[in-house]
Amino acid sequence: MEEIKVSAATKQEQYEELLPQITSLLNDEPNSIANMANVVAALKQTFDYYSWVGFYLFDKQSNELVLGPFQGKIACTRIGFGKGVCGASFQQKETIIVPDVEQFPGHIYCDGGTKSEIVVPIFLQSNIIGVLDVDSYAFDSFDETDKKYLEQLLATIAGRIAN
Ligand code: SME
């Protein structure tokens, strides 16, 4: 098993070093749960400012987002369509950056310590299949750099994390 190694200093350089390693980690494995589990582990161990990172996948039967593999404290298992930041991102099919969760109407607290958040939708071909949610214990942790690289990562690996 190869190790994930990121030694760069800036956030941008860290993403630049990390993303190809994640892609190659997933290359030989078709199982989506195994792949999602390793993606969140690789992200969490690389970025100190991530307090929680995990997948929420859309369940057509219940019309809800359901918790998938994650790293961090236990979290809400189901999020209704359009609810919270995750539901809003899924509904709007757009990345949402929340610098201060208290300012986001309807934000769902899974961990009372969360201060800021980014939610990135996942598209397989042109269908949205879920979101990646990242939380931080600091205000204003996420910016256009996180958005750019997380969107890039999810576009690259969507075929490896969808059933
Ligand atoms: N804060 C999210 C819910 C998920 S947890 O933070 C892990 C939201 O408002 O959608």
Side-chain angles (χ1 to χ4, degrees):
M1 177 73 218
E2 34 178 327
E3 251 183 79
I4 295 278
K5 283 198 197 118
V6 176
S7 53
T10 69
K11 183 192 273 197
Q12 176 172 347
E13 290 165 345
Q14 287 177 311
Y15 279 113
E16 293 271 0
E17 266 192 51
L18 178 64
L19 266 44
Q21 295 183 63
I22 294 182
T23 308
S24 79
L25 187 65
L26 271 48
N27 252 346
D28 301 324
E29 179 51 64
N31 185 279
S32 59
I33 293 177
N35 285 335
M36 285 187 282
N38 266 339
V39 169
V40 292
L43 288 167
K44 182 77 164 61
Q45 77 182 52
T46 301
F47 296 106
D48 293 341
Y49 59 98
Y50 283 30
S51 58
W52 193 94
V53 51
F55 289 95
Y56 279 96
L57 300 167
F58 186 63
D59 174 48
K60 282 192 191 118
Q61 275 184 336
S62 62
N63 200 37
E64 291 171 324
L65 290 165
V66 182
L67 183 63
F70 70 95
Q71 293 264 314
K73 289 189 186 170
I74 59 165
C76 323
T77 51
R78 287 174 183 268
I79 296 176
F81 185 79
K83 302 288 182 197
V85 187
C86 291
S89 168
F90 185 81
Q91 189 173 30
Q92 293 164 26
K93 300 186 176 168
E94 273 176 13
T95 297
I96 299 180
I97 295 171
V98 183
D100 176 357
V101 296
E102 276 194 27
Q103 305 303 317
F104 189 96
H107 171 263
I108 300 165
Y109 274 103
C110 294
D111 175 350
T114 301
K115 297 284 193 288
S116 61
E117 173 163 5
I118 183 171
V119 180
V120 186
I122 307 164
F123 299 95
L124 184 64
Q125 278 94 43
S126 50
N127 296 319
I128 186 161
I129 58 167
V131 299
L132 182 77
D133 179 18
V134 189
D135 298 343
S136 167
Y137 286 151
F139 290 111
D140 206 11
S141 289
F142 305 102
D143 56 23
E144 290 300 315
T145 300
D146 299 282
K147 176 179 189 289
K148 172 183 166 184
Y149 287 104
L150 291 173
E151 286 178 353
Q152 186 181 307
L153 172 67
L154 293 169
T156 309
I157 64 172
R160 288 272 162 199
I161 58 175
N163 288 311

